[in-house]
Amino acid sequence: MSGKDKKDVKPQKPVEKKKIVPIIIVPAASQSLLTLYNAQQFLIDQKFISSEEIRQKGEKKPMQLTITRDPKKHAISKFLVLDSIDTMKDKDWNRVVAVFTCGQEWQFKGWKWDKPVDIFSRVLGFSLKFQDEPPSGSLSQWNVKILDVILY
């Protein structure tokens, strides 16, 4: 190669892999303890504020949330939080890492896996309930971690 040929060769930029953002699905039901209204406060700040309290302040429900955690403290720092599967494509189901359920099977209508037992054998399942209330629906039959909300 001549000196001129070496100048014509441009170094290739390294190909950056697009980071895949994991998905957390929360119930769309307004009576659920966790919704898109209060998911950020609960998942990031570890504070429970009722969805009703947030609605009464006039805040609009977001279509979706992107929550970010401190990357110095957590391996995964960004999550997409949804309450509807309407915009999900088949490949997106591989990104679902957790599902919060209100304990009702109708929540899973139209999902890739139509039975809660199948869903919770593939992803982490959680359900919130007030400390003094029994678990709702069929939660005892599903692989779901029940989290007690304690009001102060």
Side-chain angles (χ1 to χ4, degrees), residues 9-50:
V9 177
K10 294 181 181 178
Q12 291 186 357
K13 292 181 182 178
V15 178
E16 288 188 32
K17 286 188 176 182
K18 186 176 179 181
K19 289 190 176 183
I20 296 174
V21 178
I23 297 172
I24 298 171
I25 302 175
V26 300
S30 61
Q31 73 273 16
S32 177
L33 292 182
L34 186 67
T35 67
L36 282 177
Y37 279 108
N38 62 353
Q40 179 145 348
Q41 292 88 343
F42 185 78
L43 296 171
I44 297 299
D45 303 331
Q46 300 172 353
K47 294 180 184 174
F48 178 79
I49 302 171
S50 74

Side-chain angles (χ1 to χ4, degrees), residues 75-107:
I76 299 173
S77 61
K78 187 183 274 189
F79 293 86
L80 178 63
V81 183
L82 305 173
D83 71 352
S84 170
I85 60 158
D86 293 345
T87 60
M88 288 181 55
K89 297 177 175 53
D90 194 51
K91 66 180 181 174
D92 294 332
W93 286 100
N94 293 332
R95 297 171 40 207
V96 177
V97 295
V99 172
F100 282 82
T101 179
C102 56
Q104 305 301 318
E105 287 195 42
W106 57 259
Q107 179 184 354

Side-chain angles (χ1 to χ4, degrees), residues 84-151:
S84 170
I85 60 158
D86 293 345
T87 60
M88 288 181 55
K89 297 177 175 53
D90 194 51
K91 66 180 181 174
D92 294 332
W93 286 100
N94 293 332
R95 297 171 40 207
V96 177
V97 295
V99 172
F100 282 82
T101 179
C102 56
Q104 305 301 318
E105 287 195 42
W106 57 259
Q107 179 184 354
F108 309 110
K109 185 177 179 181
W111 285 38
K112 179 177 180 175
W113 311 292
D114 59 348
K115 294 185 175 130
V117 171
D118 294 334
I119 293 166
F120 298 120
S121 69
R122 290 175 166 83
V123 301
L124 292 174
F126 298 97
S127 183
L128 299 184
K129 69 173 194 65
F130 289 117
Q131 182 182 24
D132 58 344
E133 294 179 355
S136 63
S138 303
L139 292 175
S140 62
Q141 300 167 15
W142 305 340
N143 184 22
V144 173
K145 172 93 171 142
I146 298 172
L147 305 174
D148 285 336
V149 173
I150 303 169
L151 298 176

